[in-house]
Amino acid sequence: MLTLTYEYKLIPTRQQVLDIENILTVCRKVWNFALRERKDWVNSRKCRVDACSLDQEYIIQPAISFPNYHIQAKNLTEAKRVIPELGSVNAQVLQQVLRTLDRAWDDIWKRGFGFPRFKKHFRMRSFVFPQLKGEIVKANHVKLPQLGWVNFHVSRAIPDGFKVKQARVVRKASGYFVMLSLQLDVNVPEVPFHGHPIGIDIGLESFLATSDSELVAAPAFFNSLHSKLELLQRKLKHKKLGSNNRRKLNSKIARLHQQITDTRKDFHWKLSHHLCDRAGAIFVEDIDFRTWAKGMFGKHTLDASFGQFFNILSYVCWKRGVFFAKVSKDYTSQICPECGALTGKKGLSIREHNCPECGYKTHRDVAAAQVIRNRGVSAVLGSHATCFKSAEPLFSVVASQVE
């Protein structure tokens, strides 16, 4: 099953905007109530019966089970009879809110995530219609439950044969968007190793370096607008809570953050296609960027958003039939890509690789990218590629034998 997600900008009417905001408000209230219910149950089981606090303590009867998704969904159905506001929103939308909370609760222990947070007014930004029936898209209109036919900007056509399975409405600083999940019942084989391989080494001086000696400068998306953002945030602290001026200034700050995010993502997409134009196989380092974000260069690392770039690059490679793989990151800057000799650690001030064994000289990031490429080819081709060097004719002979 092939699944794609296409995002379009909605052009809703005034009444549809009010309906969207009402749905987001009810979803936020359901989320907060369900989370409060779960936290109260946990707090009531925190201490022993003979060691309760003398000041205050949560008391919930022992016979009451933990309020999981199924219990809360059943209680939601019963609550609709006495709370008319809940009946104003599609039932499946509210059920998806409870499902999302249930996944977030499980991820605390399964994936080491933080505790789910209560949502303020602008923190509940999206909701999902999990099932769509009938004709969904017609010309520049999309039919959504409860909202009816909504105009949207057709930035790209939906591929032939794909069916729209669900829709997510998202509120951003620049307006409302719809994310359509498209499915096609086909089996997509994995991309085999083929063509010209390149290795990619990421860094701070340059955004990345390739094994073909290409250096891409770091755009510094956040730093370029940091002074403007600081000025707006300095003004914000003097605005009165709940005032219209504070709301307008918050909107400006949100638009600026979205501009940074959109510019960064656009750069990642274009760079990924640029790399795929020049390679049949791409190898990158297997890095945990969470540790990078905690170091002295954390701000620059988060600004570059290497994790997002690798995710986009892997998707573009899959879409365009380019082989993509990750290799070990260890000692990539301490090995000569030409002869394989250990050259020792290099300080950040040393920007050139100079091998004392074979005399090979190149930029240190390019040398690391060539080591990554050699590791990737060796891992894919096995012992046939252990002697792989930068020479293209040798690779062509090995690759032709594998094919």
Side-chain angles (χ1 to χ4, degrees), residues 64-357:
I64 296 180
S65 303
F66 175 76
N68 55 25
Y69 165 75
H70 301 287
I71 293 177
Q72 291 185 326
K74 182 180 178 180
N75 294 338
L76 178 63
T77 304
E78 297 175 354
K80 286 184 176 181
R81 300 170 185 170
V82 295
I83 305 177
E85 188 179 16
L86 296 176
S88 64
V89 178
N90 186 284
Q92 291 184 331
V93 172
L94 300 181
Q95 291 171 0
Q96 289 300 310
V97 173
L98 296 179
R99 286 189 182 277
T100 303
L101 175 60
D102 196 56
R103 288 195 300 269
W105 190 272
D106 291 339
D107 288 342
I108 298 175
W109 295 274
K110 291 182 179 179
R111 303 175 64 181
F113 286 3
F115 210 85
R117 294 190 293 180
F118 293 102
K119 304 287 188 181
K120 295 181 181 179
H121 176 68
F122 292 104
R123 279 199 174 273
M124 181 63 71
R125 301 186 181 96
S126 68
F127 57 88
V128 182
F129 295 111
Q131 289 184 347
L132 302 175
K133 297 181 180 179
E135 187 179 14
I136 307 302
V137 178
K138 181 174 63 176
N140 62 336
H141 292 75
V142 57
K143 188 176 183 181
L144 301 174
Q146 193 174 343
L147 300 177
W149 289 100
V150 186
N151 290 350
F152 72 98
H153 178 65
V154 187
S155 53
R156 54 177 171 175
I158 295 177
D160 295 334
F162 281 83
K163 294 183 178 180
V164 182
K165 288 297 184 180
Q166 72 175 24
R168 176 181 290 274
V169 178
V170 183
R171 177 181 60 195
K172 296 184 179 181
S174 59
Y176 300 93
F177 294 79
V178 61
M179 304 177 70
L180 301 178
S181 294
L182 314 174
Q183 285 188 356
L184 181 64
D185 191 11
V186 294
N187 291 324
V188 182
E190 297 213 355
V191 180
F193 176 68
H194 67 284
H196 173 64
I198 64 172
I200 295 177
D201 178 70
I202 58 175
L204 297 175
E205 182 186 46
S206 56
F207 184 81
L208 62 82
T210 69
S211 55
D212 293 339
S213 302
E214 181 181 4
L215 297 174
V216 178
F221 312 96
F222 182 77
N223 285 339
S224 60
L225 295 173
H226 191 205
S227 58
K228 184 177 180 180
L229 186 62
E230 278 186 332
L231 177 62
L232 293 177
Q233 289 176 334
R234 209 161 34 238
K235 291 181 178 179
L236 183 65
K237 70 177 183 178
H238 299 295
K239 303 299 180 183
K240 184 179 179 181
L241 287 174
S243 66
N244 286 334
N245 286 335
R246 185 181 179 88
R247 179 180 56 82
K248 292 177 183 178
L249 194 55
N250 265 325
S251 179
K252 287 184 180 180
I253 294 174
R255 288 294 295 268
L256 188 60
H257 275 296
Q258 186 176 344
Q259 179 185 349
I260 297 171
T261 301
D262 292 344
T263 306
R264 180 188 295 120
K265 185 175 291 187
D266 180 70
F267 170 77
H268 288 167
W269 280 103
K270 290 179 179 178
L271 180 58
S272 298
H273 283 284
H274 171 78
L275 294 172
C276 289
D277 289 338
R278 287 156 175 73
I282 295 178
F283 299 98
V284 299
E285 297 173 285
D286 188 6
I287 300 175
D288 184 2
F289 293 108
R290 292 175 297 181
T291 59
W292 279 33
K294 297 176 182 178
M296 62 182 297
F297 298 110
K299 181 178 178 180
H300 302 281
T301 301
L302 294 173
D303 188 15
S305 190
F306 292 117
Q308 175 181 273
F309 171 68
F310 278 4
N311 290 336
I312 291 177
L313 178 61
S314 64
Y315 172 76
V316 173
C317 288
W318 168 81
K319 187 177 181 180
R320 298 192 52 180
V322 177
F323 182 81
F324 177 84
K326 293 183 178 182
V327 301
S328 174
K329 67 180 187 307
D330 298 334
Y331 307 108
T332 54
S333 62
Q334 302 181 35
I335 298 176
C336 177
E338 192 68 19
C339 64
L342 284 172
T343 59
K345 291 185 178 181
K346 303 183 183 74
L348 293 177
S349 60
I350 301 175
R351 307 313 303 169
E352 184 183 53
H353 169 80
N354 189 356
C355 181
E357 299 292 333

